[in-house]
Amino acid sequence: MTTGRTSIPTGRPFTVADLEAMPDDGNRYELIDGMLIVIPAPGWSHQEMALSLAVELRGACPRELRVLVAPFAVQTAFDSEVQPDVIVARYTDLTARNLPAAPVLAVEVLSHSTALHDRNTKKAHYQRIGVASYWLLDPAEPGALTAFELDGAGAYREVGHVVGDEEFRAERPFPVTIVPARLLDGLRP
């Protein structure tokens, strides 16, 4: 099937090459095991929370790690490319084009259109590729953060859930304290 400039593959899983041919239409496209996920442009509260978290993480980040924000591809297979809202990656793993290895932290900010994927499909994908820490941020007032870490068996276990003015004191990937409500301060005058 052809739609405008792009030929959409049928009868087979999508590949990263197909993803690179997708139109620049304001959506983000991701792939997990050949399944295409279309992500609409995020809203203000989503962007505010992601950017504020990135600033907090960057201020505490050791030199051997880097903090990046979407869109930046984590491409670990020919049929899988995701763009977490915020990532922390080893400096030595990064290329100018993408991150071809698991980040040490992946963060997704929930929205109505992505929450199901973020809580399930992406969480399972991040667990499978070995992302040591996975955080979910909820921008609905008063804000919330749920943190997961890989255990010795390679499965995620919840290590923290805070709401509003409660503090989450992370030890991984490095020590930092996050208060969800403060990540939304930019929404107020």
Side-chain angles (χ1 to χ4, degrees):
M1 166 172 65
T2 302
T3 58
R5 317 180 292 219
T6 306
S7 177
I8 306 295
T10 57
R12 66 169 173 77
F14 281 81
T15 67
V16 171
D18 298 324
L19 191 65
E20 291 171 353
M22 297 301 288
D24 185 5
D25 60 3
N27 291 314
R28 287 184 0 215
Y29 294 91
E30 297 181 318
L31 280 180
I32 296 178
D33 299 327
M35 179 181 69
L36 183 67
I37 301 168
V38 182
I39 302 167
W44 181 14
S45 62
H46 179 284
Q47 290 296 83
E48 183 67 34
M49 197 167 219
L51 181 58
S52 296
L53 177 67
V55 169
E56 291 291 322
L57 290 173
R58 192 169 207 165
C61 188
R63 291 186 49 78
E64 67 273 10
L65 300 174
R66 294 297 187 269
V67 177
L68 295 117
V69 296
F72 192 80
V74 175
Q75 184 184 327
T76 55
F78 77 96
D79 65 350
S80 295
E81 178 179 300
V82 292
Q83 297 180 19
D85 293 310
V86 179
I87 62 171
V88 175
R90 290 173 203 83
Y91 175 82
T92 56
D93 287 344
L94 289 161
T95 72
R97 182 178 166 97
N98 64 24
L99 175 62
V104 295
L105 170 64
V107 181
E108 297 290 354
V109 180
L110 300 174
S111 67
H112 293 298
S113 60
T114 66
L116 187 61
H117 281 295
D118 293 341
R119 287 187 171 121
N120 297 290
T121 311
K122 288 177 105 175
K123 181 181 173 194
H125 176 71
Y126 294 145
Q127 178 178 286
R128 188 175 66 251
I129 66 171
V131 177
S133 298
Y134 178 49
W135 297 357
L136 288 170
L137 297 178
D138 187 344
E141 290 285 349
L145 181 153
T146 305
F148 302 90
E149 291 182 358
L150 289 178
D151 63 17
Y156 279 135
R157 63 181 174 80
E158 187 175 311
V159 296
H161 177 77
V162 294
V163 177
D165 289 318
E166 297 173 334
E167 293 182 344
F168 173 64
R169 296 178 190 269
E171 292 301 318
R172 292 182 7 184
F174 47 81
V176 65
T177 299
I178 304 297
V179 178
R182 297 296 64 80
L183 301 178
L184 295 170
D185 282 346
L187 298 174
R188 293 177 279 285

